[in-house]
Amino acid sequence: MARSIRLDAVLVQAVIAGALSFAHLHDLAAAAGQDGWKAWAYPVSVDLLLVAAWRRMRTNAENRDAWLWFAIALIASLGANVATAGLLDLHNVPPWLRILVAGWPALAFLGGTLLAHAPAPAPEPTDPPYVESAPDLTVEREADPAPELPPAEPVSEDVPPEPAPATPAVPVPPALLDHARKIANAHRAQTGAPIDPETLRSRLGVPAALADSIALQLA
């Protein structure tokens, strides 16, 4: 309840102060030769420029243009209030004041345009959200056990190894065997060494298996 009463009192005070300032600006404009609806437009122009500069100052407190136009609008409002307090003869307004009042619309339009199209301040970079790093975990994996091998069968020392199967001899015709024997004798006489199966095969022109069989029979 106390907060509501305080808020209502502030609003009433603001309405009264605004109405008085509005009336003073109207009276000064009318005394400077701005009659009719033009006299009522002057206080609206001054108050709107004051509000626009104040909002720009709240958005960007370091904007010098906003502070400059706020000061101009405040001086115009305070000047009208003081001038209509009996310090100025409203029936005999000096020429310089008429010039100021007549030039105010252009000045207010320039200030309002500059404030409306002023670049918005760049947003401040925000820090990235803090993300807690995951703890380092080391996973140790147990080695798989080696497969068990079946026990080796003991080898009996009494059992002799099995002989390799003998290669069956290729049958050799007697005439070919006699001819091969002559060639082997001639080769021994020339070289002093027995003929080998490869040389015998090349001399006779027979397959390798047949040459090996002849060489076995000549040995």
Side-chain angles (χ1 to χ4, degrees):
M1 180 63 71
R3 183 176 180 181
S4 301
I5 295 175
R6 190 183 308 113
L7 183 61
D8 294 341
V10 172
L11 289 177
V12 171
Q13 182 181 5
V15 171
I16 294 174
L20 291 174
S21 177
F22 195 91
H24 291 162
L25 286 168
H26 169 268
D27 294 343
L28 183 62
Q34 307 296 326
D35 54 353
W37 65 270
K38 293 182 289 184
W40 293 106
Y42 273 86
V44 176
S45 175
V46 173
D47 291 342
L48 286 181
L49 182 60
L50 194 65
V51 172
W54 175 75
R55 293 190 62 180
R56 180 61 63 180
M57 288 165 54
R58 291 195 60 185
T59 304
N60 185 8
E62 298 180 357
N63 193 334
R64 296 182 179 179
D65 293 339
W67 282 96
L68 174 62
W69 289 109
F70 182 82
I72 291 175
L74 185 61
I75 291 173
S77 180
L78 291 176
N81 294 330
V82 174
T84 55
L87 300 179
L88 181 66
D89 185 6
L90 297 180
H91 299 287
N92 188 14
V93 178
W96 61 267
L97 183 57
R98 293 179 181 270
I99 295 174
L100 289 179
V101 173
W104 172 258
L107 185 64
F109 177 78
L110 176 62
T113 303
L114 293 178
L115 292 173
H117 295 281
E124 297 181 358
T126 57
D127 296 334
Y130 174 75
V131 179
E132 185 178 358
S133 59
D136 297 335
L137 299 178
T138 303
V139 180
E140 297 182 358
R141 183 178 180 182
E142 296 182 358
D144 296 336
E148 297 182 359
L149 299 178
E153 297 180 359
V155 180
S156 177
E157 298 180 356
D158 299 336
V159 180
E162 296 181 0
T167 305
V170 179
V172 181
L176 181 60
L177 183 61
D178 294 339
H179 180 63
R181 184 175 287 107
K182 294 179 181 179
I183 294 176
N185 293 334
H187 181 79
R188 182 184 294 273
Q190 293 178 0
T191 62
I195 193 170
D196 57 284
E198 184 65 23
T199 304
L200 184 62
R201 185 185 65 80
S202 61
R203 293 284 183 89
L204 296 175
V206 296
L210 183 58
D212 292 341
S213 180
I214 295 174
L216 290 175
Q217 297 185 29
L218 293 179

